[in-house]
Amino acid sequence: MKLAVFISALLLSLSAAAQTDVDPRTQRRLVVLAPHLVESLFAIGAGDQIIATTDHSDFPAQASSIPRVGNYARLQIEQILALRPDAVVAWRSGNPADDLQRLEKYKINVVYTQADNLQDVASELRMLGKLTGREKQAENIANDYLYRLHALKARYSKAEGVSVFYELWARPLRTVAGNSWLQQQIALCGGDNIYADIEEGYPQVSLENVLDLRPQVIIQPTTHGDNQPETINWQQWPEIPAVNHGFILHPDADKVHRMTTRMLDEIEAMCVQLDKARQFYAQDSDLTQP
C-alpha cells in the first residue's frame, strides 16, 4: 500500500515538473489582424493559438473557421477586448491606426509587423517564432525562404529586360511602381516595369498611355475569392506586343499579394514566363521595343 502511494506521489511530481517545462509562449492566445500573418503562424505550427482574425484569412483551410473581428478598414474593438488576448498581432500599414491606438489605451499588448521588402518575410517569420515559442521551426522556414529568394535573384535579376505592365485594378486603372511589394517581384524576375519610375507605389494610370507604351508582357493577377474584380479585356488591342504574342500572365493574387513563403511559388512561375518572353523577343529585333 505504501509503495502504491509512493508511486502515485512520484507520478504526480513528474507530471507537475513536465508541466513547468512547457514554454508559456506556446500557450499565448493571439488575435491576428492580417491574412498573411495567419498564414505564417500556421506555417510555423502556431495556428491553434489564433483565437480571432480579420476578413479574407482563408489559408490554410483551417483559417476559414477562425472568428472574425474586423477587416482592413475597421476593427471590432469590443469583441477583441472581450476575448482578452495575450497579444494582438497587427500589420502596421494594413490595419486602421486609430483602432490599434485604442487597443493600446486599453492596455492590450499590440505586436506590430511590417514587411516592406521581399527578404522581410524571413524576419517576420523569426519574430512570430519568438512570439509563440517556435524559434526552431520559424528559423528553418525562414532560411529555406531566403535560399530560394536569393537563387531567383541570382538567376533572373541581371537578365536582359522585358517591358511589363501590371494591371493591379481595372477601374480605375491602377498599376504598381516605386518600391512597392509587387514592383520588387517584377524586378526580381528581371522585368522592366513601364511605370517603375513613378514614386507612388500604386499609381492610377490611363489606358491610352499603356497602349502608347506597348508593353511586351502584361501581368493580370486573378483571385479565387467570391468577389472577382473586373479586369480589362486586352484582346481588344492586338497591336500591343503582349497581346499579339500571347504574353498575358495570370498569377494567383492570393499568393503574390501576401507577404508569405507561398509567394515564392508564384514568383518562380512568373520568372519562368518572363524569361520565355525575353527569349522570344530576343529572336527578332523587330519584335523588341524601340
Side-chain angles (χ1 to χ4, degrees):
M1 184 68 177
K2 291 182 179 180
L3 180 61
V5 172
F6 172 77
I7 292 175
S8 177
L10 178 62
L11 290 175
L12 287 172
S13 176
L14 291 173
S15 176
Q19 288 179 6
T20 61
D21 290 338
V22 174
D23 189 333
R25 295 175 298 169
T26 64
Q27 309 302 311
R28 283 176 172 162
R29 301 166 67 254
L30 307 175
V31 171
V32 184
L33 302 180
H36 72 279
L37 296 171
V38 169
E39 184 174 330
S40 291
L41 282 164
F42 271 100
I44 64 172
D48 60 350
Q49 292 183 237
I50 305 172
I51 59 173
T53 185
T54 52
D55 293 347
H56 309 298
S57 296
D58 55 8
F59 189 89
Q62 303 97 296
S64 298
S65 62
I66 299 174
R68 270 39 176 175
V69 288
N71 52 44
Y72 71 93
R74 188 57 56 203
L75 302 177
Q76 297 169 4
I77 301 297
E78 291 75 14
Q79 289 191 31
I80 295 174
L81 294 175
L83 289 169
R84 301 174 63 86
D86 296 304
V88 169
V89 186
W91 178 16
R92 188 175 293 277
S93 65
N95 294 136
D98 57 336
D99 281 347
L100 296 177
Q101 291 170 2
R102 287 179 62 195
L103 289 173
E104 289 182 333
K105 289 180 179 179
Y106 284 112
K107 307 303 181 183
I108 296 293
N109 177 25
V110 180
V111 179
Y112 289 93
T113 70
Q114 184 63 38
D116 293 317
N117 300 300
L118 297 180
Q119 62 267 26
D120 290 345
V121 171
S123 301
E124 197 167 80
L125 282 165
R126 293 181 177 122
M127 184 277 291
L128 294 173
K130 186 175 181 179
L131 177 68
T132 60
R134 291 173 171 81
E135 288 95 338
K136 184 176 180 180
Q137 299 96 313
E139 185 67 22
N140 290 337
I141 295 172
N143 288 340
D144 179 68
Y145 171 84
L146 289 176
Y147 176 83
R148 294 178 61 197
L149 181 66
H150 293 155
L152 286 172
K153 184 176 181 179
R155 181 172 182 180
Y156 294 110
S157 63
K158 300 298 182 182
E160 185 176 348
V162 55
S163 64
V164 175
F165 173 70
Y166 198 109
E167 180 193 329
L168 180 65
W169 198 260
R171 289 174 177 78
L173 183 58
R174 288 193 178 276
T175 188
V176 303
N179 191 45
S180 66
W181 183 254
L182 299 171
Q183 164 57 25
Q184 292 178 47
Q185 296 177 11
I186 295 172
L188 179 68
C189 293
D192 285 339
N193 180 2
I194 60 176
Y195 292 109
D197 292 337
I198 299 178
E199 291 186 7
E200 181 185 350
Y202 304 100
Q204 184 174 335
V205 297
S206 71
L207 177 59
E208 292 75 13
N209 190 238
V210 176
L211 299 179
D212 289 341
L213 293 173
R214 304 180 70 246
Q216 295 169 313
V217 176
I218 292 174
I219 299 177
Q220 189 181 55
T222 59
T223 179
H224 302 295
D226 294 332
N227 298 318
Q228 177 73 31
E230 187 176 358
T231 57
I232 292 176
N233 177 18
W234 293 102
Q235 302 303 323
Q236 302 173 74
W237 300 282
E239 65 273 18
I240 302 176
V243 178
N244 188 29
H245 303 296
F247 289 111
I248 301 180
L249 313 184
H250 300 285
D252 185 334
D254 286 343
K255 293 182 180 180
V256 294
H257 292 177
R258 295 182 184 178
M259 299 81 162
T260 69
T261 59
R262 200 165 54 114
M263 167 197 65
L264 281 187
D265 297 333
E266 209 69 1
I267 292 181
E268 186 172 10
M270 187 169 68
C271 286
V272 170
Q273 292 172 314
L274 283 177
D275 200 48
K276 288 181 179 178
R278 181 181 295 111
Q279 294 177 34
F280 173 81
Y281 288 112
Q283 291 176 1
D284 191 334
S285 59
D286 291 339
L287 297 177
T288 59
Q289 290 274 78

